[in-house]
Amino acid sequence: MTVRVLVADDQDLVRTGLSMILEAQPGIEVVGQAADGHAAVELAQRLRPDVCLVDILMPGLDGIEVTKLLAGRGVPDPIAVVVITTFDLDEYIHGALRAGARGFLLKDAGTALLVQAVHAAAVGDALIAPNITRRLLATLAAREPASRRTQPIEPLTDREEEVLTLVARGRTNAEIAAELYIGLTTAKTHVASLLTKIGARNRVEIAMWAYDTGRAGD
């Protein structure tokens, strides 16, 4: 399956460079480019890409507003968004993920991590640059412990508790399957059950809930 990607960045060289990197990868097709937030939303709604790669700082609408419009709570038929930025600032990271982004990368992340994030977003995973994952989630949990459900709707099984801890550590479904010696479909089923039981929208919220409830592990 080919992942169709829209690239949005107000810097021509960056936008072109990201597009060239992605186009060179097997299984990825860049279907559009946008130089500002308004164009990104219009193109995304018209082209319906599998993933939008969006810069955090753009004229018109910034990356957080673009994410809210394409993937935010209550958006019908949302589109996966991966936010990319030069700046490793907590407020940007928090804002993007709260808006519904499925990934957050720095522009120096490298080709391999960029491609991994695009593929992860396309299949419903969330990938955050490993160097900021644990700091980010711990900070989020400390800031807003009362804003999310502290008990699941139904008790978690032992296996779901294991999967929960791995999600909190930033593992993808494939990595969870390998680590627990289970099938990929089974891993996806457990993640889907966690989403339902704790009332989360995505894997990032699962991880945040794990930190809130002391289940994130060491």
Side-chain angles (χ1 to χ4, degrees), residues 88-192:
D88 180 12
L89 298 178
D90 283 351
E91 58 264 35
Y92 289 162
I93 303 166
H94 298 171
L97 298 177
R98 294 247 180 258
R102 283 194 191 164
F104 189 97
L105 296 177
L106 300 179
K107 288 182 180 177
D108 63 359
T111 298
L113 196 60
L114 172 64
V115 172
Q116 186 181 357
V118 167
H119 281 295
V123 297
D125 282 350
L127 188 149
I128 308 168
N131 58 323
I132 61 176
T133 301
R134 293 188 69 82
R135 185 197 80 209
L136 164 69
L137 293 172
T139 302
L140 287 172
R143 277 190 184 180
E144 301 182 25
S147 64
R148 292 177 294 278
R149 182 189 303 275
T150 57
Q151 295 297 324
I153 295 170
E154 298 177 29
L156 304 186
T157 66
D158 290 342
R159 180 63 89 187
E160 287 168 350
E161 293 279 5
E162 292 177 319
V163 171
L164 175 71
T165 299
L166 293 177
V167 171
R169 293 174 181 170
R171 304 291 199 274
T172 65
N173 285 340
E175 290 168 338
I176 291 170
E179 195 157 336
L180 296 180
Y181 302 100
I182 59 179
L184 179 58
T185 300
T186 302
K188 290 179 179 179
T189 299
H190 287 312
V191 172

Side-chain angles (χ1 to χ4, degrees), residues 4-207:
R4 301 169 65 253
V5 181
L6 171 71
V7 177
D9 194 297
D10 63 321
Q11 297 182 43
D12 291 344
L13 286 176
V14 173
R15 188 173 65 253
T16 301
L18 290 170
S19 297
M20 290 177 64
I21 290 171
L22 292 173
E23 280 282 8
Q25 308 304 313
I28 294 179
E29 176 189 5
V30 176
V31 297
Q33 297 183 34
D36 62 65
H38 289 292
V41 172
E42 189 277 324
L43 273 177
Q45 291 175 340
R46 176 160 54 87
L47 298 176
R48 302 297 305 177
D50 300 303
V51 178
C52 293
L53 186 64
V54 177
D55 185 23
I56 199 81
L57 295 178
M58 291 187 294
L61 294 174
D62 64 21
I64 293 176
E65 289 302 317
V66 169
T67 302
K68 286 179 182 177
L69 291 171
L70 297 179
R73 192 179 295 275
V75 173
D77 198 14
I79 299 172
V81 175
V82 174
V83 172
I84 186 166
T85 181
T86 306
F87 307 103
D88 180 12
L89 298 178
D90 283 351
E91 58 264 35
Y92 289 162
I93 303 166
H94 298 171
L97 298 177
R98 294 247 180 258
R102 283 194 191 164
F104 189 97
L105 296 177
L106 300 179
K107 288 182 180 177
D108 63 359
T111 298
L113 196 60
L114 172 64
V115 172
Q116 186 181 357
V118 167
H119 281 295
V123 297
D125 282 350
L127 188 149
I128 308 168
N131 58 323
I132 61 176
T133 301
R134 293 188 69 82
R135 185 197 80 209
L136 164 69
L137 293 172
T139 302
L140 287 172
R143 277 190 184 180
E144 301 182 25
S147 64
R148 292 177 294 278
R149 182 189 303 275
T150 57
Q151 295 297 324
I153 295 170
E154 298 177 29
L156 304 186
T157 66
D158 290 342
R159 180 63 89 187
E160 287 168 350
E161 293 279 5
E162 292 177 319
V163 171
L164 175 71
T165 299
L166 293 177
V167 171
R169 293 174 181 170
R171 304 291 199 274
T172 65
N173 285 340
E175 290 168 338
I176 291 170
E179 195 157 336
L180 296 180
Y181 302 100
I182 59 179
L184 179 58
T185 300
T186 302
K188 290 179 179 179
T189 299
H190 287 312
V191 172
S193 180
L194 285 172
L195 289 169
T196 299
K197 286 186 175 183
I198 68 177
R201 287 182 300 167
N202 51 47
R203 300 168 72 88
V204 174
E205 290 191 356
I206 290 177

